[in-house]
């Protein structure tokens, strides 16, 4: 088992249905709320928003040099939020549905634009240091979480509508090719019952690809040898009901982030609770560009 022990609750009843989570270069945990709240968490008591944007906030990524990148869905843009609350735009300001971001080794920002459900018009954008945006991939079935492999040669992207994760080869100039299904709906279904909608994606040092399954109340990993294993689950009293934040530590998990001095603390954002879940995993997560000094 990758998870050592059980999950616990961080910031009980203090967060507004967080969907994104990240750990920055200073070890602070960030989360986003359903009505624009950006939280920077350095303790467990009396958490208040650092800043407030508009509408639901989606993916959050530690930014190079400090702070985080935040996908502001209703503002149709990605913004950088500094620890002092300063907010600046990153890339274009007219992204239909910015969902998740990741840095590559050159400092370019990659953004999933989910597109419309059933339209298969999701995209991956690449934004360079000058703010210029390029469409790196299109035709995706609601593009969601994304993450790079340790050697930067592979980009993983969750397709929520198809209930899978696809992978691309990444060339030295950032060109994507060889799109293929890396984690199939069938492989997920062999390990997990219920709706297999895929959401967040993260990678650890062993090459395990973490995938959140919010409608199944599970976080899984796909191992390099092709197995799918459940990392954590919660079939508590609220499962399969409309109840919110009722007796479950894990409730509609949407994104994960690695933190702690050894990057073995696993933080899980829960769309249908007012807290984060946290546990210890056996393998450290990859050190992201925004976590390096």
């Amino acid at each position: 088992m990758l998870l050592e022990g059980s999950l616990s609750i961080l910031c009980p009843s203090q967060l507004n249905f967080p969907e994104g989570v990240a750990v920055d270069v200073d070890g602070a945990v960030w989360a986003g709320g359903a009505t624009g709240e950006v939280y920077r968490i350095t303790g467990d008591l009396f958490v208040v928003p650092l800043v407030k944007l508009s509408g639901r906030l989606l993916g959050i990524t530690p930014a190079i040099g400090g702070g985080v990148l935040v996908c502001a869905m209703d503002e149709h843009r990605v913004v950088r939020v500094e620890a002092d609350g300063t907010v600046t735009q990153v890339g274009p300001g007219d992204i239909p549905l910015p969902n998740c971001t990741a840095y590559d080794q050159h400092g370019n920002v990659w953004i999933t634009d989910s597109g419309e459900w059933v339209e298969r018009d999701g995209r991956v954008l690449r934004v360079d240091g000058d703010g210029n945006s390029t469409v790196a991939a299109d035709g995706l079935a609601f593009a969601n979480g994304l993450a790079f492999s340790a050697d930067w040669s592979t980009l993983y992207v969750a397709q929520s509508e198809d209930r899978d994760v696809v992978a691309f080869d990444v060339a030295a100039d950032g060109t994507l090719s060889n799109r293929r299904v890396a984690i199939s709906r069938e492989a997920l279904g062999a390990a997990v019952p219920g709706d297999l909608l895929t959401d967040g994606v993260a990678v650890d040092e062993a090459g395990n690809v973490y995938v959140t399954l919010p409608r199944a109340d599970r976080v899984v990993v796909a191992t390099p040898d092709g197995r799918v294993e459940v990392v954590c689950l919660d079939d508590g009293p609220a499962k399969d009901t409309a109840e919110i934040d009722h007796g479950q530590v894990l409730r509609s998990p949407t994104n994960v982030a690695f933190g702690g001095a050894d990057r073995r603390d696993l933080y899980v954002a829960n769309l249908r609770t007012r807290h984060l879940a946290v546990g210890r995993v056996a393998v450290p997560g990859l050190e992201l560009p925004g976590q390096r000094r």
Side-chain angles (χ1 to χ4, degrees), residues 85-145:
T86 302
V87 177
T88 54
Q89 183 171 306
V90 176
D94 58 353
I95 304 172
L97 206 168
N99 202 317
C100 191
T101 60
Y103 282 98
D104 64 22
Q105 73 273 41
H106 305 298
N108 300 309
V109 177
W110 296 67
I111 305 168
T112 50
D113 170 19
S114 294
E116 294 287 341
W117 200 259
V118 312
E119 295 297 326
R120 306 186 75 85
D121 58 352
R123 305 181 299 166
V124 177
L125 309 178
R126 185 179 70 250
V127 179
D128 65 22
D130 295 323
N132 301 309
S133 176
T134 302
V135 177
D138 56 16
L140 295 165
F142 205 85
N144 207 318

Side-chain angles (χ1 to χ4, degrees), residues 168-201:
F168 297 88
D169 292 340
V170 185
D173 64 355
T175 302
L176 300 182
S177 64
N178 189 27
R179 172 177 165 177
R180 70 271 188 194
V181 175
I183 307 171
S184 68
R185 181 198 299 240
E186 292 74 20
L188 292 170
V192 175
D195 190 334
L196 303 172
L197 184 144
T198 50
D199 199 330
V201 179

Side-chain angles (χ1 to χ4, degrees), residues 14-91:
Q14 296 189 66
L15 308 179
N16 188 18
F17 307 117
E19 184 159 350
V21 62
V23 180
D24 70 15
V25 67
D26 296 317
V29 180
W30 296 67
T35 54
E37 300 88 353
V38 179
Y39 303 97
R40 187 174 188 266
I41 303 162
T42 56
D44 194 25
L45 300 174
F46 310 116
V47 176
V48 296
L50 175 67
V51 296
K52 197 168 188 299
L53 305 173
S54 300
R56 172 165 289 284
L57 305 182
L58 303 180
I60 301 178
T61 301
I64 292 175
V68 291
L69 303 182
V70 179
C71 291
M73 180 178 73
D74 289 359
E75 296 184 13
H76 303 290
R77 62 178 184 154
V78 173
V79 297
R80 178 176 184 141
V81 181
E82 307 287 355
D84 64 1
T86 302
V87 177
T88 54
Q89 183 171 306
V90 176

